[in-house]
């Protein structure tokens, strides 16, 4: 079904692997389209409670495949037609998304990692705002997410100088959730994803939604949104299960409903 990515669902977790290892998983138009198709599949599959995005081989994603870049290319149209639809789907997905950054995340590959809810970094991973080195600005939503993670001043520094950020430094500036030793990589990524897949998925989706909306409304307006969201959460099966488990003094078994 897919040529540039691999997609599978195991134990309620969808695994989307960028699969052009010989090209460091660089984006092509076909890869953008296949990621879009996979994200649509995740959004409607009730079995999927968590999405993990990672890369095959030694790279997470090196950004746009520069082999396809020409002097006549309209970069704005490429963003509008290829990247914007992909990033919008990811942004709106009301299920937890984990970037398992196994190697370099550069350019739009870094943007993809930033757009995820959590970033797990292998100790050999690195992040590079590579755009400046070819005279471009960070794109694919990069400058939307970056200052929200590391602050305005640090985001400007990273974008302007485009220097490599090690996994250790990324953790120190708040760019990643955790750094995982290479020998524990598979085990810890699976453990983290499974933990999310066992949680109340509807509540996580609402948390994501209202965190986003909190940036663009007054406190008074937010309180009303919060009340509306809590009403939705209060009607879920997972809320009822959580209350029962509390009184029965046991661990809840959430179904994501």
């Amino acid at each position: 079904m897919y040529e540039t990515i691999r997609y599978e669902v195991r134990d309620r977790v969808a695994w989307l692997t960028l699969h052009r290892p010989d090209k460091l998983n660089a984006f092509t138009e076909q890869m953008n389209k296949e990621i879009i198709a996979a994200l649509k599949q995740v959004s409607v599959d009730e079995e999927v409670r968590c999405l993990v995005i990672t890369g095959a081989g030694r790279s997470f994603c090196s950004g746009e495949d520069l082999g396809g870049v020409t002097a006549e290319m309209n970069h704005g149209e490429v963003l509008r037609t290829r990247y914007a639809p992909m990033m919008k789907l990811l942004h709106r997905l009301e299920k937890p998304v984990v970037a398992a950054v196994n190697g370099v995340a550069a350019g739009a590959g870094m943007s993809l990692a930033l757009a995820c809810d959590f970033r797990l970094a292998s100790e050999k991973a690195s992040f590079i705002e590579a755009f400046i080195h070819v005279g471009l600005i960070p794109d694919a939503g990069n400058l939307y997410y970056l200052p929200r993670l590391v602050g305005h001043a640090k985001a400007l520094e990273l974008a302007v100088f485009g220097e490599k950020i090690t996994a250790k430094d990324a953790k120190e500036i708040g760019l990643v959730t955790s750094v995982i030793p290479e020998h524990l990589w598979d085990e810890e990524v699976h453990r983290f994803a499974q933990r999310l897949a066992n949680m109340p998925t509807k509540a996580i989706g609402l948390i994501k939604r209202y965190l986003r909306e909190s940036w663009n409304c007054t406190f008074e307006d937010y309180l009303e949104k919060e009340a509306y969201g809590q009403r939705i959460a209060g009607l879920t099966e997972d809320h009822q299960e959580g209350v029962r488990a509390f009184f029965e003094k046991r661990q809840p078994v959430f179904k994501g409903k």
Side-chain angles (χ1 to χ4, degrees):
M1 181 177 179
Y2 296 118
E3 295 181 15
T4 65
I5 68 171
R6 297 290 182 268
Y7 179 84
E8 61 178 325
V9 178
R10 303 193 307 271
D11 298 324
R12 303 183 303 281
V13 178
W15 298 83
L16 194 168
T17 303
L18 310 182
H19 203 269
R20 299 185 71 223
D22 56 323
K23 299 294 185 181
L24 300 180
N25 303 318
F27 286 117
T28 62
E29 183 175 3
Q30 182 178 358
M31 182 183 277
N32 290 133
K33 289 179 178 178
E34 292 185 356
I35 293 172
I36 287 171
L39 291 174
K40 288 180 178 178
Q41 196 169 344
V42 170
S43 68
V44 299
D45 189 343
E46 293 187 359
E47 180 188 352
V48 173
R49 306 264 297 277
C50 174
L51 169 63
V52 177
I53 301 176
T54 192
R58 60 192 178 92
S59 174
F60 176 74
C61 178
S62 59
E64 176 71 11
D65 189 335
L66 295 182
V69 175
T70 66
E72 296 77 27
M73 178 179 282
N74 183 329
H75 295 291
E77 276 307 298
V78 169
L79 290 174
R80 291 187 185 99
T81 59
R82 284 176 46 194
Y83 284 93
M86 179 179 75
M87 302 309 289
K88 285 177 182 178
L89 279 171
L90 187 57
H91 186 73
R92 294 168 183 163
L93 187 62
E94 293 202 337
K95 297 179 182 181
V97 184
V98 180
V101 185
N102 54 302
V104 65
M110 180 168 172
S111 303
L112 179 64
L114 295 178
C116 296
D117 303 313
F118 306 95
R119 281 153 298 283
L120 306 181
S122 163
E123 60 186 355
K124 63 180 181 179
S126 60
F127 300 82
I128 308 172
E129 290 279 71
F131 304 92
I132 195 69
H133 302 304
V134 290
L136 294 175
I137 68 169
D139 61 27
N142 189 295
L143 294 182
Y144 176 89
Y145 292 107
L146 190 62
R148 286 166 167 76
L149 292 169
V150 302
H152 179 98
K154 193 64 178 180
L156 181 63
E157 175 189 331
L158 297 178
V160 168
F161 293 107
E163 296 174 346
K164 180 187 288 189
I165 310 161
T166 66
K168 179 175 179 290
D169 289 342
K171 180 68 170 70
E172 289 180 357
I173 64 175
L175 198 61
V176 302
T177 307
S178 65
V179 178
I180 300 173
E182 190 172 355
H183 70 283
L184 295 175
W185 177 247
D186 288 339
E187 175 187 343
E188 288 299 307
V189 172
H190 280 78
R191 183 193 63 78
F192 190 89
Q194 202 60 59
R195 178 183 178 187
L196 287 168
N198 290 335
M199 295 179 72
T201 314
K202 298 293 186 183
I204 293 175
L206 290 166
I207 289 169
K208 291 176 60 170
R209 182 193 305 180
Y210 292 115
L211 268 173
R212 285 197 306 268
E213 294 187 6
S214 71
W215 291 85
N216 301 306
C217 64
T218 65
F219 181 64
E220 289 74 14
D221 288 342
Y222 176 76
L223 291 178
E224 180 54 36
K225 290 177 182 289
E226 174 188 86
Y228 178 75
Q230 197 70 302
R231 172 58 175 163
I232 296 173
L235 293 172
T236 62
E237 291 182 23
D238 282 341
H239 168 60
Q240 299 302 321
E241 165 62 10
V243 172
R244 282 195 301 272
F246 175 81
F247 285 110
E248 294 169 8
K249 295 181 171 56
R250 59 174 175 82
Q251 288 297 312
V253 180
F254 296 119
K255 297 180 179 179
K257 297 180 180 180

